[in-house]
Amino acid sequence: MGEHIIFIGFMGAGKTTVGRAAAKALDRRFLDTDRLIEEKAGMTISRMFETLGEAAFREEETRMLMELLNEKGPAVISVGGGLPLRRENRRLLRMLGNVVYLRVRPDTVWKRLDGDATRPLLQGKDAVERVKSLLGDRGPLYEAAARLVVDVDGKTVGQIIREVEEKIRKGME
Ligand code: S3P
């Protein structure tokens, strides 16, 4: 098994914020699949969805996980909210290391992402209902992909990181 720490979870769960802070605390490199895909494609994810379609973006996510298997040295990796939905991706995630599911409630997502224009899946009307229904569908898949689950609602980044470290340590005992 790989040695990385990988954060998965719904949009707005704090994967990037927590991932970046955890990388700093552990003195590791921080990688974010959304940013890596944007750099490689030379366009934003919104633009990718518009011009190439969601399916092309999903292909890039799987390709990126395969590339990350060659990443040397333990890193902290955050992945896009829809990445764990493919069975193949869940397998690759587990190969990369310790998969941590940052579990968030729909109301927290909504508070955090109200007015955000960078998530194509949450644009337009009925976004509140969409968050609820997507989270309902995805929750079991996130749980299937993860070794650890941490609830994030109402917690500070520091609290979340301490909980992650504690759970990883316990899992290793
Ligand atoms: C997506 C989540 C986004 C990004 C894309 C699709 C999803 O990442 O990959 O907009 O399907 O949940 P974040 O979870 O980092 O917002």
Side-chain angles (χ1 to χ4, degrees), residues 9-12 15-16 32 34 45 49 54 57-58 61 79-83 85 118-121 138 142:
F10 201 72
M11 295 171 268
K15 301 181 293 290
T16 304
D32 182 316
D34 283 344
I45 288 170
F49 269 65
E54 180 175 349
F57 171 71
R58 299 299 176 196
E61 287 191 313
V79 307
L83 183 144
L85 305 185
T118 67
R119 268 83 170 190
L121 296 180
R138 291 177 173 191
Y142 292 143

mmCIF file with all atom_site columns, all heavy atoms in Angstrom, residues 9-12 15-16 32 34 45 49 54 57-58 61 79-83 85 118-121 138 142, ligand 1:
data_model
loop_
_atom_site.group_PDB
_atom_site.id
_atom_site.type_symbol
_atom_site.label_atom_id
_atom_site.label_alt_id
_atom_site.label_comp_id
_atom_site.label_asym_id
_atom_site.label_entity_id
_atom_site.label_seq_id
_atom_site.pdbx_PDB_ins_code
_atom_site.Cartn_x
_atom_site.Cartn_y
_atom_site.Cartn_z
_atom_site.occupancy
_atom_site.B_iso_or_equiv
_atom_site.pdbx_formal_charge
_atom_site.auth_seq_id
_atom_site.auth_comp_id
_atom_site.auth_asym_id
_atom_site.auth_atom_id
_atom_site.pdbx_PDB_model_num
ATOM   1   N N   . GLY A 1 9   ? -14.147 13.407 -0.231  1.00 0.00 ? 9   GLY A N   1
ATOM   2   C CA  . GLY A 1 9   ? -15.377 13.917 0.365   1.00 0.00 ? 9   GLY A CA  1
ATOM   3   C C   . GLY A 1 9   ? -16.074 14.862 -0.592  1.00 0.00 ? 9   GLY A C   1
ATOM   4   O O   . GLY A 1 9   ? -15.572 15.151 -1.682  1.00 0.00 ? 9   GLY A O   1
ATOM   5   N N   . PHE A 1 10  ? -17.219 15.325 -0.139  1.00 0.00 ? 10  PHE A N   1
ATOM   6   C CA  . PHE A 1 10  ? -18.060 16.167 -0.996  1.00 0.00 ? 10  PHE A CA  1
ATOM   7   C C   . PHE A 1 10  ? -17.447 17.551 -1.177  1.00 0.00 ? 10  PHE A C   1
ATOM   8   O O   . PHE A 1 10  ? -16.617 17.989 -0.383  1.00 0.00 ? 10  PHE A O   1
ATOM   9   C CB  . PHE A 1 10  ? -19.452 16.297 -0.364  1.00 0.00 ? 10  PHE A CB  1
ATOM   10  C CG  . PHE A 1 10  ? -20.518 16.691 -1.339  1.00 0.00 ? 10  PHE A CG  1
ATOM   11  C CD1 . PHE A 1 10  ? -20.963 15.791 -2.290  1.00 0.00 ? 10  PHE A CD1 1
ATOM   12  C CD2 . PHE A 1 10  ? -21.058 17.962 -1.323  1.00 0.00 ? 10  PHE A CD2 1
ATOM   13  C CE1 . PHE A 1 10  ? -21.950 16.146 -3.205  1.00 0.00 ? 10  PHE A CE1 1
ATOM   14  C CE2 . PHE A 1 10  ? -22.044 18.332 -2.227  1.00 0.00 ? 10  PHE A CE2 1
ATOM   15  C CZ  . PHE A 1 10  ? -22.485 17.418 -3.170  1.00 0.00 ? 10  PHE A CZ  1
ATOM   16  N N   . MET A 1 11  ? -17.899 18.236 -2.239  1.00 0.00 ? 11  MET A N   1
ATOM   17  C CA  . MET A 1 11  ? -17.516 19.634 -2.448  1.00 0.00 ? 11  MET A CA  1
ATOM   18  C C   . MET A 1 11  ? -17.820 20.423 -1.173  1.00 0.00 ? 11  MET A C   1
ATOM   19  O O   . MET A 1 11  ? -18.894 20.275 -0.593  1.00 0.00 ? 11  MET A O   1
ATOM   20  C CB  . MET A 1 11  ? -18.328 20.244 -3.602  1.00 0.00 ? 11  MET A CB  1
ATOM   21  C CG  . MET A 1 11  ? -18.031 19.614 -4.942  1.00 0.00 ? 11  MET A CG  1
ATOM   22  S SD  . MET A 1 11  ? -19.177 20.165 -6.245  1.00 0.00 ? 11  MET A SD  1
ATOM   23  C CE  . MET A 1 11  ? -20.451 18.894 -6.134  1.00 0.00 ? 11  MET A CE  1
ATOM   24  N N   . GLY A 1 12  ? -16.878 21.267 -0.760  1.00 0.00 ? 12  GLY A N   1
ATOM   25  C CA  . GLY A 1 12  ? -17.112 22.096 0.415   1.00 0.00 ? 12  GLY A CA  1
ATOM   26  C C   . GLY A 1 12  ? -16.804 21.409 1.736   1.00 0.00 ? 12  GLY A C   1
ATOM   27  O O   . GLY A 1 12  ? -16.982 22.002 2.794   1.00 0.00 ? 12  GLY A O   1
ATOM   28  N N   . LYS A 1 15  ? -11.547 19.598 1.845   1.00 0.00 ? 15  LYS A N   1
ATOM   29  C CA  . LYS A 1 15  ? -10.435 18.717 1.450   1.00 0.00 ? 15  LYS A CA  1
ATOM   30  C C   . LYS A 1 15  ? -9.156  19.502 1.166   1.00 0.00 ? 15  LYS A C   1
ATOM   31  O O   . LYS A 1 15  ? -8.070  19.115 1.588   1.00 0.00 ? 15  LYS A O   1
ATOM   32  C CB  . LYS A 1 15  ? -10.809 17.897 0.200   1.00 0.00 ? 15  LYS A CB  1
ATOM   33  C CG  . LYS A 1 15  ? -12.039 17.023 0.373   1.00 0.00 ? 15  LYS A CG  1
ATOM   34  C CD  . LYS A 1 15  ? -12.342 16.234 -0.884  1.00 0.00 ? 15  LYS A CD  1
ATOM   35  C CE  . LYS A 1 15  ? -12.771 17.050 -2.076  1.00 0.00 ? 15  LYS A CE  1
ATOM   36  N NZ  . LYS A 1 15  ? -14.103 17.663 -1.968  1.00 0.00 ? 15  LYS A NZ  1
ATOM   37  N N   . THR A 1 16  ? -9.298  20.600 0.427   1.00 0.00 ? 16  THR A N   1
ATOM   38  C CA  . THR A 1 16  ? -8.112  21.377 0.060   1.00 0.00 ? 16  THR A CA  1
ATOM   39  C C   . THR A 1 16  ? -7.549  22.126 1.265   1.00 0.00 ? 16  THR A C   1
ATOM   40  O O   . THR A 1 16  ? -6.333  22.091 1.506   1.00 0.00 ? 16  THR A O   1
ATOM   41  C CB  . THR A 1 16  ? -8.451  22.366 -1.082  1.00 0.00 ? 16  THR A CB  1
ATOM   42  O OG1 . THR A 1 16  ? -8.998  21.600 -2.166  1.00 0.00 ? 16  THR A OG1 1
ATOM   43  C CG2 . THR A 1 16  ? -7.224  23.111 -1.552  1.00 0.00 ? 16  THR A CG2 1
ATOM   44  N N   . ASP A 1 32  ? -3.245  18.352 -5.299  1.00 0.00 ? 32  ASP A N   1
ATOM   45  C CA  . ASP A 1 32  ? -4.696  18.460 -5.411  1.00 0.00 ? 32  ASP A CA  1
ATOM   46  C C   . ASP A 1 32  ? -5.061  18.062 -6.845  1.00 0.00 ? 32  ASP A C   1
ATOM   47  O O   . ASP A 1 32  ? -4.616  18.712 -7.789  1.00 0.00 ? 32  ASP A O   1
ATOM   48  C CB  . ASP A 1 32  ? -5.056  19.930 -5.112  1.00 0.00 ? 32  ASP A CB  1
ATOM   49  C CG  . ASP A 1 32  ? -6.545  20.182 -5.134  1.00 0.00 ? 32  ASP A CG  1
ATOM   50  O OD1 . ASP A 1 32  ? -7.224  19.694 -6.046  1.00 0.00 ? 32  ASP A OD1 1
ATOM   51  O OD2 . ASP A 1 32  ? -7.017  20.903 -4.239  1.00 0.00 ? 32  ASP A OD2 1
ATOM   52  N N   . ASP A 1 34  ? -7.692  18.313 -8.666  1.00 0.00 ? 34  ASP A N   1
ATOM   53  C CA  . ASP A 1 34  ? -8.373  19.332 -9.489  1.00 0.00 ? 34  ASP A CA  1
ATOM   54  C C   . ASP A 1 34  ? -7.356  20.305 -10.085 1.00 0.00 ? 34  ASP A C   1
ATOM   55  O O   . ASP A 1 34  ? -7.417  20.637 -11.268 1.00 0.00 ? 34  ASP A O   1
ATOM   56  C CB  . ASP A 1 34  ? -9.384  20.127 -8.648  1.00 0.00 ? 34  ASP A CB  1
ATOM   57  C CG  . ASP A 1 34  ? -10.672 19.365 -8.372  1.00 0.00 ? 34  ASP A CG  1
ATOM   58  O OD1 . ASP A 1 34  ? -10.930 18.354 -9.061  1.00 0.00 ? 34  ASP A OD1 1
ATOM   59  O OD2 . ASP A 1 34  ? -11.422 19.779 -7.476  1.00 0.00 ? 34  ASP A OD2 1
ATOM   60  N N   . ILE A 1 45  ? -11.677 23.826 -14.512 1.00 0.00 ? 45  ILE A N   1
ATOM   61  C CA  . ILE A 1 45  ? -12.619 22.699 -14.550 1.00 0.00 ? 45  ILE A CA  1
ATOM   62  C C   . ILE A 1 45  ? -13.949 23.138 -15.161 1.00 0.00 ? 45  ILE A C   1
ATOM   63  O O   . ILE A 1 45  ? -14.540 22.406 -15.967 1.00 0.00 ? 45  ILE A O   1
ATOM   64  C CB  . ILE A 1 45  ? -12.796 22.120 -13.139 1.00 0.00 ? 45  ILE A CB  1
ATOM   65  C CG1 . ILE A 1 45  ? -11.508 21.371 -12.767 1.00 0.00 ? 45  ILE A CG1 1
ATOM   66  C CG2 . ILE A 1 45  ? -13.995 21.183 -13.058 1.00 0.00 ? 45  ILE A CG2 1
ATOM   67  C CD1 . ILE A 1 45  ? -11.413 20.942 -11.349 1.00 0.00 ? 45  ILE A CD1 1
ATOM   68  N N   . PHE A 1 49  ? -15.669 21.266 -18.329 1.00 0.00 ? 49  PHE A N   1
ATOM   69  C CA  . PHE A 1 49  ? -17.034 20.737 -18.376 1.00 0.00 ? 49  PHE A CA  1
ATOM   70  C C   . PHE A 1 49  ? -17.771 21.318 -19.583 1.00 0.00 ? 49  PHE A C   1
ATOM   71  O O   . PHE A 1 49  ? -18.488 20.602 -20.281 1.00 0.00 ? 49  PHE A O   1
ATOM   72  C CB  . PHE A 1 49  ? -17.798 21.089 -17.079 1.00 0.00 ? 49  PHE A CB  1
ATOM   73  C CG  . PHE A 1 49  ? -17.702 20.046 -15.989 1.00 0.00 ? 49  PHE A CG  1
ATOM   74  C CD1 . PHE A 1 49  ? -16.482 19.761 -15.388 1.00 0.00 ? 49  PHE A CD1 1
ATOM   75  C CD2 . PHE A 1 49  ? -18.824 19.365 -15.536 1.00 0.00 ? 49  PHE A CD2 1
ATOM   76  C CE1 . PHE A 1 49  ? -16.391 18.809 -14.362 1.00 0.00 ? 49  PHE A CE1 1
ATOM   77  C CE2 . PHE A 1 49  ? -18.743 18.408 -14.520 1.00 0.00 ? 49  PHE A CE2 1
ATOM   78  C CZ  . PHE A 1 49  ? -17.538 18.144 -13.936 1.00 0.00 ? 49  PHE A CZ  1
ATOM   79  N N   . GLU A 1 54  ? -18.312 16.495 -19.029 1.00 0.00 ? 54  GLU A N   1
ATOM   80  C CA  . GLU A 1 54  ? -17.926 15.877 -17.750 1.00 0.00 ? 54  GLU A CA  1
ATOM   81  C C   . GLU A 1 54  ? -17.184 14.558 -17.958 1.00 0.00 ? 54  GLU A C   1
ATOM   82  O O   . GLU A 1 54  ? -16.238 14.251 -17.229 1.00 0.00 ? 54  GLU A O   1
ATOM   83  C CB  . GLU A 1 54  ? -19.178 15.655 -16.873 1.00 0.00 ? 54  GLU A CB  1
ATOM   84  C CG  . GLU A 1 54  ? -18.831 15.024 -15.535 1.00 0.00 ? 54  GLU A CG  1
ATOM   85  C CD  . GLU A 1 54  ? -19.998 14.893 -14.567 1.00 0.00 ? 54  GLU A CD  1
ATOM   86  O OE1 . GLU A 1 54  ? -21.071 15.482 -14.838 1.00 0.00 ? 54  GLU A OE1 1
ATOM   87  O OE2 . GLU A 1 54  ? -19.829 14.199 -13.547 1.00 0.00 ? 54  GLU A OE2 1
ATOM   88  N N   . PHE A 1 57  ? -13.548 14.968 -18.316 1.00 0.00 ? 57  PHE A N   1
ATOM   89  C CA  . PHE A 1 57  ? -12.941 15.312 -17.024 1.00 0.00 ? 57  PHE A CA  1
ATOM   90  C C   . PHE A 1 57  ? -12.760 14.065 -16.168 1.00 0.00 ? 57  PHE A C   1
ATOM   91  O O   . PHE A 1 57  ? -11.722 13.858 -15.527 1.00 0.00 ? 57  PHE A O   1
ATOM   92  C CB  . PHE A 1 57  ? -13.806 16.354 -16.308 1.00 0.00 ? 57  PHE A CB  1
ATOM   93  C CG  . PHE A 1 57  ? -13.390 16.624 -14.887 1.00 0.00 ? 57  PHE A CG  1
ATOM   94  C CD1 . PHE A 1 57  ? -12.215 17.316 -14.609 1.00 0.00 ? 57  PHE A CD1 1
ATOM   95  C CD2 . PHE A 1 57  ? -14.161 16.167 -13.818 1.00 0.00 ? 57  PHE A CD2 1
ATOM   96  C CE1 . PHE A 1 57  ? -11.822 17.558 -13.292 1.00 0.00 ? 57  PHE A CE1 1
ATOM   97  C CE2 . PHE A 1 57  ? -13.776 16.399 -12.500 1.00 0.00 ? 57  PHE A CE2 1
ATOM   98  C CZ  . PHE A 1 57  ? -12.604 17.099 -12.242 1.00 0.00 ? 57  PHE A CZ  1
ATOM   99  N N   . ARG A 1 58  ? -13.774 13.181 -16.163 1.00 0.00 ? 58  ARG A N   1
ATOM   100 C CA  . ARG A 1 58  ? -13.691 11.946 -15.355 1.00 0.00 ? 58  ARG A CA  1
ATOM   101 C C   . ARG A 1 58  ? -12.559 11.049 -15.837 1.00 0.00 ? 58  ARG A C   1
ATOM   102 O O   . ARG A 1 58  ? -11.906 10.374 -15.043 1.00 0.00 ? 58  ARG A O   1
ATOM   103 C CB  . ARG A 1 58  ? -15.030 11.203 -15.369 1.00 0.00 ? 58  ARG A CB  1
ATOM   104 C CG  . ARG A 1 58  ? -16.202 11.998 -14.797 1.00 0.00 ? 58  ARG A CG  1
ATOM   105 C CD  . ARG A 1 58  ? -15.998 12.379 -13.352 1.00 0.00 ? 58  ARG A CD  1
ATOM   106 N NE  . ARG A 1 58  ? -17.072 13.217 -12.818 1.00 0.00 ? 58  ARG A NE  1
ATOM   107 C CZ  . ARG A 1 58  ? -16.964 13.928 -11.696 1.00 0.00 ? 58  ARG A CZ  1
ATOM   108 N NH1 . ARG A 1 58  ? -15.849 13.911 -10.996 1.00 0.00 ? 58  ARG A NH1 1
ATOM   109 N NH2 . ARG A 1 58  ? -17.959 14.665 -11.270 1.00 0.00 ? 58  ARG A NH2 1
ATOM   110 N N   . GLU A 1 61  ? -9.418  12.333 -14.412 1.00 0.00 ? 61  GLU A N   1
ATOM   111 C CA  . GLU A 1 61  ? -9.248  12.015 -12.985 1.00 0.00 ? 61  GLU A CA  1
ATOM   112 C C   . GLU A 1 61  ? -8.586  10.638 -12.826 1.00 0.00 ? 61  GLU A C   1
ATOM   113 O O   . GLU A 1 61  ? -7.661  10.487 -12.023 1.00 0.00 ? 61  GLU A O   1
ATOM   114 C CB  . GLU A 1 61  ? -10.605 12.026 -12.273 1.00 0.00 ? 61  GLU A CB  1
ATOM   115 C CG  . GLU A 1 61  ? -11.187 13.419 -12.077 1.00 0.00 ? 61  GLU A CG  1
ATOM   116 C CD  . GLU A 1 61  ? -12.396 13.442 -11.147 1.00 0.00 ? 61  GLU A CD  1
ATOM   117 O OE1 . GLU A 1 61  ? -13.303 12.598 -11.327 1.00 0.00 ? 61  GLU A OE1 1
ATOM   118 O OE2 . GLU A 1 61  ? -12.453 14.303 -10.271 1.00 0.00 ? 61  GLU A OE2 1
ATOM   119 N N   . VAL A 1 79  ? -8.540  15.070 -3.463  1.00 0.00 ? 79  VAL A N   1
ATOM   120 C CA  . VAL A 1 79  ? -9.102  14.736 -4.776  1.00 0.00 ? 79  VAL A CA  1
ATOM   121 C C   . VAL A 1 79  ? -10.477 15.359 -4.947  1.00 0.00 ? 79  VAL A C   1
ATOM   122 O O   . VAL A 1 79  ? -11.177 15.635 -3.965  1.00 0.00 ? 79  VAL A O   1
ATOM   123 C CB  . VAL A 1 79  ? -9.162  13.201 -5.005  1.00 0.00 ? 79  VAL A CB  1
ATOM   124 C CG1 . VAL A 1 79  ? -7.807  12.551 -4.761  1.00 0.00 ? 79  VAL A CG1 1
ATOM   125 C CG2 . VAL A 1 79  ? -10.235 12.539 -4.158  1.00 0.00 ? 79  VAL A CG2 1
ATOM   126 N N   . GLY A 1 80  ? -10.890 15.559 -6.180  1.00 0.00 ? 80  GLY A N   1
ATOM   127 C CA  . GLY A 1 80  ? -12.192 16.144 -6.486  1.00 0.00 ? 80  GLY A CA  1
ATOM   128 C C   . GLY A 1 80  ? -13.325 15.313 -5.889  1.00 0.00 ? 80  GLY A C   1
ATOM   129 O O   . GLY A 1 80  ? -13.208 14.098 -5.739  1.00 0.00 ? 80  GLY A O   1
ATOM   130 N N   . GLY A 1 81  ? -14.431 15.986 -5.571  1.00 0.00 ? 81  GLY A N   1
ATOM   131 C CA  . GLY A 1 81  ? -15.542 15.345 -4.880  1.00 0.00 ? 81  GLY A CA  1
ATOM   132 C C   . GLY A 1 81  ? -16.179 14.177 -5.620  1.00 0.00 ? 81  GLY A C   1
ATOM   133 O O   . GLY A 1 81  ? -16.753 13.287 -4.998  1.00 0.00 ? 81  GLY A O   1
ATOM   134 N N   . GLY A 1 82  ? -16.058 14.162 -6.959  1.00 0.00 ? 82  GLY A N   1
ATOM   135 C CA  . GLY A 1 82  ? -16.693 13.085 -7.712  1.00 0.00 ? 82  GLY A CA  1
ATOM   136 C C   . GLY A 1 82  ? -15.738 11.950 -8.054  1.00 0.00 ? 82  GLY A C   1
ATOM   137 O O   . GLY A 1 82  ? -16.156 10.915 -8.590  1.00 0.00 ? 82  GLY A O   1
ATOM   138 N N   . LEU A 1 83  ? -14.492 12.122 -7.728  1.00 0.00 ? 83  LEU A N   1
ATOM   139 C CA  . LEU A 1 83  ? -13.481 11.125 -8.140  1.00 0.00 ? 83  LEU A CA  1
ATOM   140 C C   . LEU A 1 83  ? -13.717 9.729  -7.565  1.00 0.00 ? 83  LEU A C   1
ATOM   141 O O   . LEU A 1 83  ? -13.560 8.742  -8.290  1.00 0.00 ? 83  LEU A O   1
ATOM   142 C CB  . LEU A 1 83  ? -12.081 11.662 -7.780  1.00 0.00 ? 83  LEU A CB  1
ATOM   143 C CG  . LEU A 1 83  ? -10.892 10.805 -8.200  1.00 0.00 ? 83  LEU A CG  1
ATOM   144 C CD1 . LEU A 1 83  ? -9.713  11.676 -8.617  1.00 0.00 ? 83  LEU A CD1 1
ATOM   145 C CD2 . LEU A 1 83  ? -10.474 9.856  -7.082  1.00 0.00 ? 83  LEU A CD2 1
ATOM   146 N N   . LEU A 1 85  ? -16.251 8.061  -7.204  1.00 0.00 ? 85  LEU A N   1
ATOM   147 C CA  . LEU A 1 85  ? -17.473 7.393  -7.655  1.00 0.00 ? 85  LEU A CA  1
ATOM   148 C C   . LEU A 1 85  ? -17.182 6.189  -8.551  1.00 0.00 ? 85  LEU A C   1
ATOM   149 O O   . LEU A 1 85  ? -17.937 5.230  -8.570  1.00 0.00 ? 85  LEU A O   1
ATOM   150 C CB  . LEU A 1 85  ? -18.393 8.377  -8.381  1.00 0.00 ? 85  LEU A CB  1
ATOM   151 C CG  . LEU A 1 85  ? -18.759 9.640  -7.587  1.00 0.00 ? 85  LEU A CG  1
ATOM   152 C CD1 . LEU A 1 85  ? -19.761 10.472 -8.359  1.00 0.00 ? 85  LEU A CD1 1
ATOM   153 C CD2 . LEU A 1 85  ? -19.302 9.278  -6.214  1.00 0.00 ? 85  LEU A CD2 1
ATOM   154 N N   . THR A 1 118 ? -17.453 28.182 -9.190  1.00 0.00 ? 118 THR A N   1
ATOM   155 C CA  . THR A 1 118 ? -16.411 27.308 -9.767  1.00 0.00 ? 118 THR A CA  1
ATOM   156 C C   . THR A 1 118 ? -16.808 25.833 -9.802  1.00 0.00 ? 118 THR A C   1
ATOM   157 O O   . THR A 1 118 ? -16.068 25.018 -10.313 1.00 0.00 ? 118 THR A O   1
ATOM   158 C CB  . THR A 1 118 ? -15.092 27.434 -8.972  1.00 0.00 ? 118 THR A CB  1
ATOM   159 O OG1 . THR A 1 118 ? -15.292 26.890 -7.665  1.00 0.00 ? 118 THR A OG1 1
ATOM   160 C CG2 . THR A 1 118 ? -14.638 28.884 -8.853  1.00 0.00 ? 118 THR A CG2 1
ATOM   161 N N   . ARG A 1 119 ? -17.982 25.486 -9.217  1.00 0.00 ? 119 ARG A N   1
ATOM   162 C CA  . ARG A 1 119 ? -18.407 24.073 -9.237  1.00 0.00 ? 119 ARG A CA  1
ATOM   163 C C   . ARG A 1 119 ? -19.551 23.902 -10.225 1.00 0.00 ? 119 ARG A C   1
ATOM   164 O O   . ARG A 1 119 ? -20.708 24.205 -9.888  1.00 0.00 ? 119 ARG A O   1
ATOM   165 C CB  . ARG A 1 119 ? -18.873 23.629 -7.851  1.00 0.00 ? 119 ARG A CB  1
ATOM   166 C CG  . ARG A 1 119 ? -17.807 23.011 -6.979  1.00 0.00 ? 119 ARG A CG  1
ATOM   167 C CD  . ARG A 1 119 ? -17.006 23.994 -6.281  1.00 0.00 ? 119 ARG A CD  1
ATOM   168 N NE  . ARG A 1 119 ? -16.137 23.385 -5.266  1.00 0.00 ? 119 ARG A NE  1
ATOM   169 C CZ  . ARG A 1 119 ? -15.464 24.120 -4.390  1.00 0.00 ? 119 ARG A CZ  1
ATOM   170 N NH1 . ARG A 1 119 ? -15.543 25.435 -4.417  1.00 0.00 ? 119 ARG A NH1 1
ATOM   171 N NH2 . ARG A 1 119 ? -14.684 23.526 -3.509  1.00 0.00 ? 119 ARG A NH2 1
ATOM   172 N N   . PRO A 1 120 ? -19.262 23.382 -11.419 1.00 0.00 ? 120 PRO A N   1
ATOM   173 C CA  . PRO A 1 120 ? -20.304 23.267 -12.442 1.00 0.00 ? 120 PRO A CA  1
ATOM   174 C C   . PRO A 1 120 ? -21.514 22.471 -11.977 1.00 0.00 ? 120 PRO A C   1
ATOM   175 O O   . PRO A 1 120 ? -22.641 22.758 -12.403 1.00 0.00 ? 120 PRO A O   1
ATOM   176 C CB  . PRO A 1 120 ? -19.612 22.541 -13.611 1.00 0.00 ? 120 PRO A CB  1
ATOM   177 C CG  . PRO A 1 120 ? -18.192 22.355 -13.244 1.00 0.00 ? 120 PRO A CG  1
ATOM   178 C CD  . PRO A 1 120 ? -17.940 22.914 -11.887 1.00 0.00 ? 120 PRO A CD  1
ATOM   179 N N   . LEU A 1 121 ? -21.311 21.493 -11.088 1.00 0.00 ? 121 LEU A N   1
ATOM   180 C CA  . LEU A 1 121 ? -22.441 20.651 -10.679 1.00 0.00 ? 121 LEU A CA  1
ATOM   181 C C   . LEU A 1 121 ? -23.406 21.356 -9.730  1.00 0.00 ? 121 LEU A C   1
ATOM   182 O O   . LEU A 1 121 ? -24.497 20.860 -9.486  1.00 0.00 ? 121 LEU A O   1
ATOM   183 C CB  . LEU A 1 121 ? -21.938 19.361 -10.012 1.00 0.00 ? 121 LEU A CB  1
ATOM   184 C CG  . LEU A 1 121 ? -21.141 18.423 -10.918 1.00 0.00 ? 121 LEU A CG  1
ATOM   185 C CD1 . LEU A 1 121 ? -20.703 17.193 -10.148 1.00 0.00 ? 121 LEU A CD1 1
ATOM   186 C CD2 . LEU A 1 121 ? -21.973 17.994 -12.126 1.00 0.00 ? 121 LEU A CD2 1
ATOM   187 N N   . ARG A 1 138 ? -23.744 9.658  -2.913  1.00 0.00 ? 138 ARG A N   1
ATOM   188 C CA  . ARG A 1 138 ? -22.296 9.456  -2.856  1.00 0.00 ? 138 ARG A CA  1
ATOM   189 C C   . ARG A 1 138 ? -21.779 8.950  -1.504  1.00 0.00 ? 138 ARG A C   1
ATOM   190 O O   . ARG A 1 138 ? -20.721 8.317  -1.457  1.00 0.00 ? 138 ARG A O   1
ATOM   191 C CB  . ARG A 1 138 ? -21.592 10.778 -3.174  1.00 0.00 ? 138 ARG A CB  1
ATOM   192 C CG  . ARG A 1 138 ? -21.754 11.202 -4.615  1.00 0.00 ? 138 ARG A CG  1
ATOM   193 C CD  . ARG A 1 138 ? -21.105 12.545 -4.815  1.00 0.00 ? 138 ARG A CD  1
ATOM   194 N NE  . ARG A 1 138 ? -21.070 12.936 -6.213  1.00 0.00 ? 138 ARG A NE  1
ATOM   195 C CZ  . ARG A 1 138 ? -20.358 13.963 -6.654  1.00 0.00 ? 138 ARG A CZ  1
ATOM   196 N NH1 . ARG A 1 138 ? -19.623 14.671 -5.807  1.00 0.00 ? 138 ARG A NH1 1
ATOM   197 N NH2 . ARG A 1 138 ? -20.356 14.269 -7.933  1.00 0.00 ? 138 ARG A NH2 1
ATOM   198 N N   . TYR A 1 142 ? -18.201 7.031  -0.749  1.00 0.00 ? 142 TYR A N   1
ATOM   199 C CA  . TYR A 1 142 ? -17.075 7.614  -0.007  1.00 0.00 ? 142 TYR A CA  1
ATOM   200 C C   . TYR A 1 142 ? -16.679 6.682  1.133   1.00 0.00 ? 142 TYR A C   1
ATOM   201 O O   . TYR A 1 142 ? -15.504 6.435  1.381   1.00 0.00 ? 142 TYR A O   1
ATOM   202 C CB  . TYR A 1 142 ? -17.465 8.984  0.578   1.00 0.00 ? 142 TYR A CB  1
ATOM   203 C CG  . TYR A 1 142 ? -17.689 10.099 -0.424  1.00 0.00 ? 142 TYR A CG  1
ATOM   204 C CD1 . TYR A 1 142 ? -18.701 11.038 -0.215  1.00 0.00 ? 142 TYR A CD1 1
ATOM   205 C CD2 . TYR A 1 142 ? -16.873 10.253 -1.541  1.00 0.00 ? 142 TYR A CD2 1
ATOM   206 C CE1 . TYR A 1 142 ? -18.901 12.091 -1.101  1.00 0.00 ? 142 TYR A CE1 1
ATOM   207 C CE2 . TYR A 1 142 ? -17.079 11.304 -2.436  1.00 0.00 ? 142 TYR A CE2 1
ATOM   208 C CZ  . TYR A 1 142 ? -18.094 12.220 -2.208  1.00 0.00 ? 142 TYR A CZ  1
ATOM   209 O OH  . TYR A 1 142 ? -18.289 13.260 -3.075  1.00 0.00 ? 142 TYR A OH  1
HETATM 210 C C1  . S3P B 2 .   ? -16.779 17.710 -8.410  1.00 0.00 ? 1   S3P B C1  1
HETATM 211 C C2  . S3P B 2 .   ? -16.054 18.310 -7.408  1.00 0.00 ? 1   S3P B C2  1
HETATM 212 C C3  . S3P B 2 .   ? -15.049 19.348 -7.672  1.00 0.00 ? 1   S3P B C3  1
HETATM 213 C C4  . S3P B 2 .   ? -14.475 19.196 -9.085  1.00 0.00 ? 1   S3P B C4  1
HETATM 214 C C5  . S3P B 2 .   ? -15.588 19.152 -10.095 1.00 0.00 ? 1   S3P B C5  1
HETATM 215 C C6  . S3P B 2 .   ? -16.568 18.005 -9.843  1.00 0.00 ? 1   S3P B C6  1
HETATM 216 C C7  . S3P B 2 .   ? -17.812 16.681 -8.034  1.00 0.00 ? 1   S3P B C7  1
HETATM 217 O O1  . S3P B 2 .   ? -13.990 19.246 -6.720  1.00 0.00 ? 1   S3P B O1  1
HETATM 218 O O2  . S3P B 2 .   ? -13.666 18.052 -9.181  1.00 0.00 ? 1   S3P B O2  1
HETATM 219 O O3  . S3P B 2 .   ? -16.256 20.376 -10.046 1.00 0.00 ? 1   S3P B O3  1
HETATM 220 O O4  . S3P B 2 .   ? -18.271 15.923 -8.907  1.00 0.00 ? 1   S3P B O4  1
HETATM 221 O O5  . S3P B 2 .   ? -18.151 16.617 -6.832  1.00 0.00 ? 1   S3P B O5  1
HETATM 222 P P1  . S3P B 2 .   ? -14.104 19.716 -5.178  1.00 0.00 ? 1   S3P B P1  1
HETATM 223 O O6  . S3P B 2 .   ? -14.709 18.585 -4.421  1.00 0.00 ? 1   S3P B O6  1
HETATM 224 O O7  . S3P B 2 .   ? -12.690 19.949 -4.789  1.00 0.00 ? 1   S3P B O7  1
HETATM 225 O O8  . S3P B 2 .   ? -14.940 20.928 -5.147  1.00 0.00 ? 1   S3P B O8  1
#
